[in-house]
Amino acid sequence: MPSPKQPGTWLRGRPGDWAATNQPFLKLPGSNRLRTLPDGLWLHFSPSPVDPYVDILCIEACSSLQNLLDKRSRFSPTTSSLMAYCPLDWLLGPAQPND
């Protein structure tokens, strides 16, 4: 739903349709091997082509302190930047079942 406080669209990237092979993921820019597949991934796309951006919300399920520290280090802003990779067929797909 559109919001005056935050225009644009939030789309759920993960978990998505289990039958779909192409779902968004995070990666290091320029790398084709190291992928980060968060348990939950939401992407907020800018409505303006003049100011394109994507806000990313990642959710990780952790069962232990060691697991939490490992996952937290992947998303730390001091390590490096991450890029959201969204396959074209996912971007052009319906946002809701009846779209």
Side-chain angles (χ1 to χ4, degrees):
M1 299 295 292
S3 167
K5 290 184 179 181
Q6 189 177 38
T9 304
W10 278 98
L11 294 176
R12 183 174 70 179
R14 291 188 170 273
D17 181 13
W18 296 109
T21 57
N22 287 333
Q23 294 182 10
F25 57 87
L26 303 176
K27 70 175 199 157
L28 294 171
S31 171
N32 60 0
R33 294 186 181 191
L34 301 174
R35 296 180 178 185
T36 298
L37 306 172
D39 297 325
L41 177 65
W42 288 84
L43 304 161
H44 175 260
F45 292 88
S46 164
S48 171
V50 177
D51 184 24
Y53 65 87
V54 175
D55 288 328
I56 300 170
L57 174 66
C58 292
I59 300 166
E60 289 285 2
C62 302
S63 58
S64 68
L65 179 60
Q66 181 180 2
N67 189 270
L68 171 67
L69 296 176
D70 174 54
K71 289 184 177 187
R72 186 174 70 175
S73 68
R74 285 190 241 167
F75 303 110
S76 174
T78 59
T79 56
S80 66
S81 61
L82 289 175
M83 180 175 76
Y85 177 82
C86 300
L88 185 60
D89 57 339
W90 180 84
L91 282 170
L92 296 177
Q96 297 179 352
N98 297 329
D99 282 351

